[in-house]
Amino acid sequence: MTRQAPPNGTQTQSLPAGTPAHTPATDSARHGLIACHECDLLVRLPTLEQTHRLSCPRCKHSLGLTGERHLERALPLGICAALLLALSLMFPFLAFERAGVSNQMTLLQTGIALVQDGSLLLGALVLLFIILAPCLLVGCILLIACSLRLQRPLPGVKTAARLMHRLTSWNMVEVFIIGVFVSLVKIAGMAHVALGISLWSYLALAIVLTAAAGSLERISLWRRLAELEAPA
């Protein structure tokens, strides 16, 4: 058995060669084990309260963060994200005015307008990735955060944890915001454009969602959920 220090000084412990690396996520988390995604080395994680970045002792690949303190930020960030999402859906997103004729649209109307204009696939993708995916992501974060705060596993929390990590890769909030501002550069020369409350709320949502999902780091989250499921 060898013990090496990663570049940041946090100790990780590698298990003997031949130890099976592919174990269920909950069992691995319960025993403080994680398999390196690069070299498949099974590493025993240290128990830390403060947040530390861990590296594989063999290939130095980053294993992620460990620690318990950052999990506490998930609930307030999740509540903030839910409020920002509600504001984004309730208020006007953009307003246009040209030659005395004005028009405004909400975030939901952006996808519906594309569908009504004949762009069925594009409109469906907008509704899926811009509205539905963030709603599901916020719901997963709140369910996980409430479970951690109540110190007991709520129904569906493990499914929510798996879904959250998958949705993070498909969350297109930042891409949509960048696309909107790029389009505004061209539209501003043709009509007067007013930015609505929904746009600024959605911009803040992109930042808060990233912070909320980041606070529920995979290693610490599964370890904590395994502890909550363990018999007292």
Side-chain angles (χ1 to χ4, degrees):
M1 184 177 294
T2 60
R3 182 185 294 269
Q4 301 181 20
N8 63 0
T10 304
Q11 295 286 332
T12 59
Q13 182 176 352
S14 60
L15 298 184
T19 303
H22 301 291
T23 57
T26 305
D27 293 338
S28 298
R30 183 179 293 114
H31 294 92
L33 305 176
I34 186 173
C36 176
H37 294 289
E38 291 294 322
C39 66
D40 211 31
L41 178 68
L42 195 61
V43 178
R44 188 179 301 279
L45 301 173
T47 302
L48 301 168
E49 290 188 1
Q50 298 293 337
T51 301
H52 294 273
R53 181 167 294 278
L54 302 178
S55 301
C56 175
R58 176 191 290 171
C59 67
K60 309 306 180 185
H61 176 71
S62 176
L63 300 176
L65 300 175
T66 187
E68 301 293 336
R69 296 292 178 87
H70 59 280
L71 295 176
E72 300 175 358
R73 300 194 297 263
L75 185 57
L77 288 172
I79 295 174
C80 182
L83 294 175
L84 290 172
L85 183 58
L87 290 175
S88 301
L89 297 176
M90 292 169 55
F91 289 93
F93 191 77
L94 289 174
F96 305 91
E97 181 179 356
R98 184 179 183 183
V101 179
S102 61
N103 189 18
Q104 65 180 19
M105 66 171 54
T106 63
L107 188 62
L108 184 61
Q109 289 173 335
T110 56
I112 296 176
L114 289 171
V115 173
Q116 294 175 343
D117 197 41
S119 302
L120 181 61
L121 178 59
L122 182 58
L125 290 175
V126 168
L127 293 174
L128 176 62
F129 292 111
I130 306 305
I131 298 178
L132 182 58
C135 289
L136 289 175
L137 184 56
V138 170
C140 291
I141 291 172
L142 287 176
L143 178 61
I144 297 168
C146 289
S147 183
L148 296 176
R149 181 58 60 92
L150 295 174
Q151 300 292 315
R152 60 185 179 89
L154 297 176
V157 66
K158 291 170 63 176
T159 301
R162 296 188 186 96
L163 182 60
M164 182 198 69
H165 289 116
R166 291 187 175 96
L167 285 174
T168 302
S169 303
W170 291 96
N171 182 32
M172 299 295 176
V173 174
E174 303 91 342
V175 177
F176 180 71
I177 286 294
I178 294 174
V180 167
F181 280 106
V182 170
S183 301
L184 287 177
V185 175
K186 299 181 178 180
I187 298 176
M190 300 182 293
H192 175 71
V193 181
L195 307 181
I197 297 177
S198 175
L199 175 61
W200 299 113
S201 300
Y202 204 69
L203 176 61
L205 175 66
I207 300 173
V208 174
L209 265 184
T210 302
S215 66
L216 294 172
E217 201 279 330
R218 189 185 303 266
I219 297 176
S220 301
L221 174 59
W222 282 109
R223 172 184 282 187
R224 186 64 182 138
L225 291 178
E227 292 174 354
L228 295 179
E229 288 188 339

